[in-house]
Amino acid sequence: MGRRLASVIGPLERILWDRSPVILMYHRVAPSTDDLWGIAVEPDRFAEQIEALKRVRHVATLDEVLAWMDHGRPGDRPLAAITFDDGYHDALSAARPILEKADCPATVYVATGLVGSDRGFWWDELVRILMTAPATHQPLRLVIGRRPVAWLLPDDRSGRQRVCRQVRRRLRDLEPAEIDRQLDAICAWAGTARRLDPEDRLMTAEEVAELSRSIVQIGAHTVRHPSLPALPFEAQLAEIAESRRACEAWTGKPVPHFAYPFGHYSRASVAAARQAGFRSACATTPGVVRPWTDPYRLPRITPGRMDGEALTRLLS
Ligand SMILES: [Zn+2]
């Protein structure tokens, strides 16, 4: 690109960024001390972020963002939508009170298969098993995709965390039933039973319904939270459509918005989300929403644990 062109496009890009809607992505509002996956923000910090957000943006629903994409409403302040993935119980107990106090709408995407069950997400179980397993010189041996893999579990905390990350990466793209078998094998190796830490539980169906009666809208996030591209189209469609049916049954409301688990999607996933009747689907690709953005590939921004000032700087 020529320097002159770049000198024009640079500021133009900046203006577009300043005025374009953003969609923020959260997972949990919870203590972050044992947050190996970097998905939790402390309640105080979350409240600080929301206050900062309100100073520079109009906090809108996803429907308002989609309407902006259709008609480009030039409001006095650019839009920001707030989203939460997964359906952890703290969306209701910790996030909702802060959102209500700030009068900020949000969408919570729920993976429906674990709602009200005695199982949590496999990555949380994995952390519990590996971080609390007794010290052993017996390597953890798994066969993943016919390939044998083995890990020696270190005694120290950071070494164990490293193993957690490595195992998660190896399991993440497997089919949910296969991940479940692997978790059973890991439990057998550690001499422990499958068990849900109450801190890591999802909402119950009643809690999802309660949340939907507040400032928060429920979105769908598949049934078993698979990496969708690993599944054939029909299985993707079943995961996507069934999670929508469950959310609608619990809330008695239409559920027009969806988010891809892990942000993973293929062309088939996009087609399945469309066929299942959703109006939008969120990815995890960083970026802002443009009028020409595909509503089934919406980018998102992750505030993480940044302070209010950093978030303001990022957005204004
Ligand atoms: Zn998720």
Side-chain angles (χ1 to χ4, degrees), residues 27 85-88 109 111 121 123 221 225 259-263 300:
H27 288 83
D85 282 15
D86 295 343
Y88 283 101
Y109 297 110
F121 285 114
W123 52 85
H221 196 42
H225 203 285
Y260 303 105
F262 307 115
R300 288 190 285 180

Side-chain angles (χ1 to χ4, degrees), residues 89-151:
H89 71 94
D90 40 85
L92 177 71
S93 58
R96 183 185 73 164
I98 294 167
L99 293 165
E100 282 189 328
K101 191 169 168 223
D103 198 26
C104 289
T107 302
V108 174
Y109 297 110
V110 179
T112 55
L114 294 170
V115 165
S117 88
D118 58 358
R119 285 277 165 89
F121 285 114
W122 62 266
W123 52 85
D124 290 327
E125 276 196 78
L126 180 68
V127 171
R128 184 189 61 77
I129 301 163
L130 294 185
M131 296 309 284
T132 61
T136 173
H137 296 296
Q138 288 293 330
L140 165 63
R141 294 182 196 281
L142 300 174
V143 179
I144 299 174
R146 295 195 187 157
R147 284 208 186 137
V149 270
W151 289 272

Side-chain angles (χ1 to χ4, degrees), residues 62 64 78 118 135 161 185 192 205 210 219 221 223 233 235 248 250 256 263 277 285 289 293 305 310:
L62 283 174
E64 286 176 88
D118 58 358
Q161 289 180 334
T192 177
E210 187 187 341
H221 196 42
V223 178
F233 174 78
E248 289 184 339
W250 293 330
T285 328
V289 178
T293 298
R305 296 168 199 156

Side-chain angles (χ1 to χ4, degrees), residues 210-257:
E210 187 187 341
L211 190 57
S212 77
R213 291 192 293 270
S214 71
I215 203 160
V216 174
Q217 177 183 36
I218 299 300
H221 196 42
T222 72
V223 178
R224 296 175 298 170
H225 203 285
S227 176
L228 285 169
L231 304 178
F233 174 78
E234 288 304 327
Q236 293 194 40
L237 181 61
E239 281 280 347
I240 294 171
E242 178 49 37
S243 68
R244 181 178 187 198
R245 270 193 295 276
C247 289
E248 289 184 339
W250 293 330
T251 63
K253 293 180 176 179
V255 173
H257 305 297

